[in-house]
Amino acid sequence: MKKLLNKRIIVGLVGVIAVVAFFSFKNGDDRNFQLAKNLDIFNAIVKELDMFYVDTIDPNKTIREGIDNMLLSLDPYTEYFPEEDQSELEQMVKGSFGGIGSLITYDVKMKRSMIAEPFENTPAAKVGLKAGDILLEIDGKDLAGKNNAEVSQMLRGEAGTSFKLKIERPNEKGGRTPMEFDIVRESILTPPIPYSTLMENNVGYISLSTFSGNPSKDFKRALLDLKKQGATSLVIDLRNNGGGLLDEAVEIANYFLPRGKVIVTTKGKIKQASNTYKTLREPLDLDIPIAVLVNSGTASASEILSGSLQDLDRAVIVGNRTFGKGLVQVPRTLPYGGTMKVTTSKYYIPSGRCVQAIDYKHRNEDGSVGTIPDSLTKVFHTVAGREVRDGGGVMPDIVVEQEKLPNILYYLMRDNLIFNYATQYCLKHPTIPSPEKFEVTDADYEDFKAMVKKADFKYDQQSEKILKTLKEAAEFEGYMTDASEEFTALEKKLNHNLDRDLDYFSKDIKPMIASEIIKRYYFQRGGIIQQLKDDNALKAALKILNDQAKYKEILSTPVAKK
């Protein structure tokens, strides 16, 4: 009944409220009449439900669901933030929020949240919270049954406010030790440059994690520092960088491009939404060779930076196709402390293309949206005449196939077995070698395997599922009699064998264990160092930067085919 109620409310909402906040129309205009008419209908429906519906409705919940579903019928990025959710919006825009500075995860068996990763130099790390700490109470309020979002909201608050946190910490004896902490919240800033270093052959490396806040200043410092150390080429890592502020992307692009270059153009319905963004300052380095690492998590402002450097033939892009977010949002103030992040324009990078991939205007019958097929994308050209396409993110100049993780690894992580092993490992090892030198030994891995077996670990094998489906199809189509022996033999070969799978996939599981352990001692920076040890995309970037002839060939005017 509730679903039916929500659907009826949504019908009254669709296409109404969002537009009213921004546009006005002439008296007597049919569009103006339709807006007023539907708002009256919606208002009447809510009042009638409140008075006559058999159960008491929660106006906040009912209307919020209606608003969310109305906005969902538009594009994926237009969102409403009521007054109590402003900290979430602030984090998106400023890259900061009031809190303790820690990721939390949920333990399904205990039905409680626990500390997953405290960030360096934050209140969580300063008071001594550790990964694996189980969250029991906040200011005396029991957290049992609360999900991660609810617990996270309780941990956040204004910088300078304090609270008492009660936890249980796993101990070496296999039990849990209760502990209490008095924590003062601080303004938590997501580090825009979690790691930078000088690699072999004088290649500088900068990991840029966000465009929120003011990352261009941190990037400039890291770049100049690397150049002082002797960097003669540069890797910019934008993988899993979901974007942020457009101006910051333009500013960083300006470090490598001449003054006066058009980086991005926005086009919207109203004049204020249409702008051209150019480089305004003198560059820092016009000649340093650059490779930019991207993947499917590279989005928005990250695509502006990588796409503009590609369109202007200033960098070689390496990795996987980017996410494809070609829309721009701005916050609009609403009554009662609310804010709406609304899509006001599309953006176009120097070649003239828009990288928007999700075709939100053409929905499937079930309301879902797909991506624009490659066959419908259009060809554009870089300054040098190289072909690039719109409608599907930024396609790298050098594509590096993303490694597929084995099925067993997903279940080991889902059941927190790698996480729990790292917690126990840290109890036995007060210190470990530096991230560059640390490795999971064969003895460590045997301990991990023993823990997994003791936990009665179960996981789905895709091959068994597919075989079962094939067997059912063979029986349905009458082939089973002739193929029964072959199926029996195949079933024996695909028999579930945990020992065999843990050994066979050890090369994939060991690095994940190492990463989880290293982060306990060296935080986010250590995790990145571990990731880069055997990174195929980084290897491809280093290879092209160390082959200047090939580098220049990729960025040069294509030779006409005879």
Side-chain angles (χ1 to χ4, degrees):
M1 189 67 181
K2 286 185 178 179
K3 287 185 178 179
L4 183 61
L5 169 65
N6 287 340
K7 285 182 180 178
R8 287 176 178 168
I9 292 174
I10 293 162
V11 171
L13 280 167
V14 172
V16 179
I17 298 173
V19 187
V20 174
F22 310 107
F23 305 103
S24 60
F25 301 91
K26 295 178 182 178
N27 291 331
D29 186 3
D30 182 62
R31 183 176 180 78
N32 189 44
F33 168 72
Q34 294 299 331
L35 287 168
K37 167 188 163 184
N38 282 285
L39 281 172
D40 283 344
I41 292 170
F42 172 71
N43 188 40
I45 287 173
V46 174
K47 287 183 177 179
E48 293 293 315
L49 289 172
D50 187 49
M51 185 173 292
F52 295 111
Y53 184 63
V54 64
D55 298 320
T56 302
I57 66 168
D58 179 343
N60 290 326
K61 183 176 183 294
T62 302
I63 295 174
R64 175 63 191 270
E65 286 185 8
I67 291 171
D68 288 345
N69 280 280
M70 175 187 68
L71 298 181
L72 194 62
S73 72
L74 305 175
D75 69 280
Y77 313 112
T78 297
E79 294 179 82
Y80 167 60
F81 296 86
E83 185 177 17
E84 61 270 20
D85 291 345
Q86 291 303 299
S87 61
E88 185 180 344
L89 181 64
E90 183 180 5
Q91 183 182 357
M92 290 182 189
V93 177
K94 298 180 180 179
S96 64
F97 59 93
I100 69 169
S102 174
L103 293 178
I104 59 174
T105 187
Y106 191 77
D107 190 288
V108 178
K109 291 182 179 178
M110 289 186 293
K111 295 184 179 178
R112 284 187 178 275
S113 294
M114 59 184 178
I115 299 293
E117 184 183 343
F119 299 136
E120 195 169 8
N121 297 321
T122 63
K126 289 174 184 176
V127 300
L129 287 175
K130 295 183 178 181
D133 288 347
I134 301 150
L135 305 182
L136 300 181
E137 295 178 4
I138 293 177
D139 280 338
K141 294 178 182 177
D142 192 356
L143 302 178
K146 294 188 182 295
N147 60 37
N148 269 354
E150 292 170 317
V151 174
S152 179
Q153 191 65 33
M154 293 174 72
L155 289 171
R156 290 188 180 189
E158 275 191 52
T161 59
S162 62
F163 67 97
K164 190 178 289 294
L165 177 65
K166 188 175 181 180
I167 67 146
E168 280 184 346
R169 177 169 295 170
N171 57 43
E172 288 188 64
K173 296 178 180 179
R176 296 196 289 265
T177 305
M179 303 177 75
E180 285 191 0
F181 296 92
D182 291 312
I183 305 178
V184 179
R185 297 180 180 94
E186 294 179 8
S187 180
I188 307 300
L189 179 67
T190 304
I193 311 288
Y195 182 60
S196 64
T197 189
L198 186 68
M199 297 183 163
E200 291 182 5
N201 297 322
N202 292 323
V203 178
Y205 170 88
I206 299 177
S207 173
L208 179 59
S209 65
T210 181
F211 285 88
S212 297
N214 195 4
S216 58
K217 287 187 177 180
D218 295 87
F219 189 96
K220 182 178 181 179
R221 277 195 295 268
L223 175 62
L224 293 177
D225 184 54
L226 287 170
K227 285 171 66 70
K228 281 183 182 177
Q229 294 179 49
T232 54
S233 58
L234 180 66
V235 174
I236 304 174
D237 195 342
L238 296 180
R239 290 175 294 182
N240 301 314
N241 183 326
L245 302 177
L246 181 152
D247 289 331
E248 290 297 301
V250 175
E251 185 71 16
I252 292 174
N254 196 165
Y255 296 154
F256 308 105
L257 294 165
R259 186 175 182 175
K261 287 285 183 183
V262 174
I263 302 299
V264 63
T265 302
T266 61
K267 297 178 183 178
K269 182 187 288 186
I270 60 173
K271 186 177 180 181
Q272 294 92 321
S274 301
N275 270 303
T276 297
Y277 296 82
K278 297 181 179 181
T279 51
L280 301 176
R281 313 176 204 285
E282 292 303 316
L284 297 178
D285 195 323
L286 288 176
D287 302 312
I288 188 170
I290 305 169
V292 181
L293 300 180
V294 298
N295 65 3
S296 58
T298 302
S300 192
S302 294
E303 293 174 295
I304 291 175
L305 178 58
S306 56
S308 62
L309 292 177
Q310 185 180 56
D311 283 357
L312 298 171
D313 304 296
R314 183 62 187 88
V316 172
I317 313 301
V318 181
N320 310 118
R321 180 186 294 201
T322 64
F323 182 81
K325 181 178 180 290
L327 305 175
V328 179
Q329 290 75 45
V330 297
R332 300 288 301 186
T333 302
L334 298 177
Y336 301 100
T339 305
M340 182 156 64
K341 179 169 68 74
V342 61
T343 297
T344 57
S345 59
K346 294 181 178 179
Y347 73 76
Y348 301 83
I349 48 181
S351 64
R353 57 179 168 150
C354 177
V355 300
Q356 178 62 26
I358 297 175
D359 190 10
Y360 60 90
K361 285 187 177 180
H362 302 94
R363 293 181 176 269
N364 302 320
E365 289 184 7
D366 62 357
S368 62
V369 293
T371 56
I372 299 170
D374 289 343
S375 59
L376 296 182
T377 59
K378 297 177 182 176
V379 173
F380 292 79
H381 293 90
T382 70
V383 170
R386 299 183 297 138
E387 282 192 6
V388 288
R389 287 183 172 270
D390 69 352
V394 176
M395 180 60 77
D397 302 304
I398 299 174
V399 176
V400 180
E401 289 300 322
Q402 211 156 359
E403 289 187 52
K404 294 181 180 179
L405 297 178
N407 195 41
I408 188 174
L409 184 56
Y410 165 78
Y411 287 97
L412 287 169
M413 294 178 69
R414 185 201 66 175
D415 292 354
N416 284 327
L417 288 171
I418 290 177
F419 183 90
N420 293 340
Y421 174 76
T423 300
Q424 292 300 317
Y425 184 96
C426 293
L427 291 171
K428 300 172 185 175
H429 299 81
T431 61
I432 62 170
S434 66
E436 293 85 355
K437 296 178 181 179
F438 178 81
E439 62 179 27
V440 174
T441 65
D442 291 340
D444 293 334
Y445 195 65
E446 287 301 318
D447 289 342
F448 172 73
K449 286 166 60 179
M451 186 203 75
V452 172
K453 292 173 191 174
K454 188 177 178 181
D456 193 28
F457 173 61
K458 297 286 192 299
Y459 64 100
D460 290 331
Q461 285 187 308
Q462 294 299 313
S463 54
E464 286 184 356
K465 283 186 175 181
I466 294 169
L467 180 60
K468 183 181 178 182
T469 303
L470 180 60
K471 195 174 180 180
E472 290 171 353
E475 286 175 346
F476 179 75
E477 295 179 356
Y479 295 116
M480 197 60 201
T481 303
D482 294 335
S484 61
E485 289 184 13
E486 286 84 352
F487 272 105
T488 301
L490 195 54
E491 282 175 340
K492 288 180 180 178
K493 289 186 177 181
L494 296 179
N495 187 38
H496 192 93
N497 188 323
L498 180 58
D499 266 319
R500 175 259 178 201
D501 287 351
L502 287 172
D503 287 336
Y504 185 80
F505 293 112
S506 62
K507 66 180 186 342
D508 298 297
I509 299 171
K510 276 186 175 182
M512 296 302 291
I513 297 173
S515 179
E516 189 60 52
I517 291 172
I518 288 170
K519 284 190 292 185
R520 308 293 177 100
Y521 300 89
Y522 298 100
F523 301 97
Q524 186 182 14
R525 173 179 167 273
I528 294 173
I529 293 172
Q530 169 62 27
Q531 174 201 327
L532 297 179
K533 285 180 183 176
D534 189 23
D535 190 320
N536 290 334
L538 178 61
K539 289 176 184 176
L542 296 176
K543 183 178 179 182
I544 193 65
L545 289 175
N546 290 321
D547 185 349
Q548 281 303 294
K550 185 67 177 176
Y551 176 87
K552 291 176 182 177
E553 180 186 331
I554 289 175
L555 296 178
S556 62
T557 304
V559 178
K561 295 180 181 179
K562 294 183 181 179

